[in-house]
């Protein structure tokens, strides 16, 4: 095995880009040829390395959040297709090429799964699967039994 890899200031930019592309501590360790523990140590010892990783991961998380949000609410997607049209005259000579661009718009409907995921995480008090139902203190059980069984004393 090669010698121990030493920290290099150039790792800062590389780490940020890898994290922006979704890289984890394990991915960085593999890219730099070190262990995950070394990456953790470098984060503690080199503030600029830590900040680069944090900024990169925050960027990637924001992109995913935006995608989830768009998927949850639905979007209009525009697509453009460019065609080259080659025509020939009656003598078999090529006419100048015509270029046509066709733009279409498609509605992407909201995704129920994305909506549920979003709401369960953003509004767990209302949307979580398990609801906490409080048990209220009842001071007079006799009144409750009377209401249930209709045994009101007159």
């Amino acid at each position: 095995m090669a010698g121990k890899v030493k920290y290099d200031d150039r790792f800062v930019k590389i780490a940020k880009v890898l994290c922006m592309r979704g890289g984890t501590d394990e991915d960085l360790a593999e890219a730099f040829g070190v262990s995950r523990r070394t990456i953790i140590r470098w984060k503690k010892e080199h503030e600029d390395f830590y900040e680069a990783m944090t900024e990169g991961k925050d960027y990637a998380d924001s992109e995913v959040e935006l995608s989830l949000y768009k998927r949850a609410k639905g979007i209009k997607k525009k697509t453009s297709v460019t065609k080259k049209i080659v025509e020939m005259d009656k003598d078999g000579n090529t006419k100048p090429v015509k270029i046509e661009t066709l733009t279409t718009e498609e509605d992407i409907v909201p995704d129920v799964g994305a909506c549920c995921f979003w709401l369960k995480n953003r509004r767990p008090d209302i949307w979580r699967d398990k609801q906490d139902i409080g048990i209220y203190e009842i001071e007079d059980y006799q009144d409750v039994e009377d209401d249930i069984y209709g045994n009101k004393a007159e």
Side-chain angles (χ1 to χ4, degrees):
M1 183 171 164
K4 187 175 177 181
V5 176
K6 292 187 180 184
Y7 179 80
D8 188 319
D9 288 334
R10 293 178 292 179
F11 291 169
V12 172
K13 188 172 184 178
I14 297 167
K16 183 173 184 178
V17 171
L18 289 174
C19 288
M20 288 175 71
R21 294 180 180 170
T24 61
D25 288 5
E26 291 81 9
D27 296 328
L28 270 68
E30 185 177 328
F32 295 130
V34 297
S35 69
R36 183 176 172 273
R37 290 178 63 174
T38 300
I39 296 295
I40 293 168
R41 184 171 45 82
W42 286 352
K43 286 194 293 187
K44 290 177 183 175
E45 294 174 357
H46 305 279
E47 187 175 340
D48 53 344
F49 185 75
Y50 172 78
E51 287 175 3
M53 286 183 64
T54 302
E55 288 173 13
K57 288 180 179 184
D58 287 347
Y59 173 83
D61 292 347
S62 295
E63 289 292 303
V64 171
E65 287 171 5
L66 180 59
S67 296
L68 174 65
Y69 177 73
K70 287 179 179 179
R71 188 78 172 121
K73 72 178 202 102
I75 59 170
K76 291 192 180 288
K77 180 182 174 185
K78 288 185 178 181
T79 307
S80 295
V81 177
T82 303
K83 294 183 194 178
K84 289 184 181 180
I85 301 172
V86 179
E87 294 179 341
M88 309 288 249
D89 64 15
K90 61 183 177 184
D91 296 329
N93 299 320
T94 348
K95 293 182 179 180
V97 175
K98 291 182 186 176
I99 297 176
E100 289 184 3
T101 302
L102 176 65
T103 302
T104 59
E105 188 171 83
E106 176 185 5
D107 284 327
I108 307 293
V109 296
D111 179 86
V112 174
C115 292
C116 289
F117 183 82
W118 180 270
L119 291 169
K120 285 178 185 180
N121 285 283
R122 294 281 295 227
R123 298 294 307 271
D125 55 320
I126 299 171
W127 290 95
R128 70 176 163 238
D129 288 331
K130 180 181 175 187
Q131 296 289 323
D132 292 329
I133 299 172
I135 298 179
Y136 303 99
E137 289 185 24
I138 300 172
E139 292 181 13
D140 188 354
Y141 286 100
Q142 187 61 46
D143 286 344
V144 173
E145 286 181 8
D146 290 346
D147 286 345
I148 293 171
Y149 301 113
N151 297 330
K152 291 192 178 192
E154 296 182 25

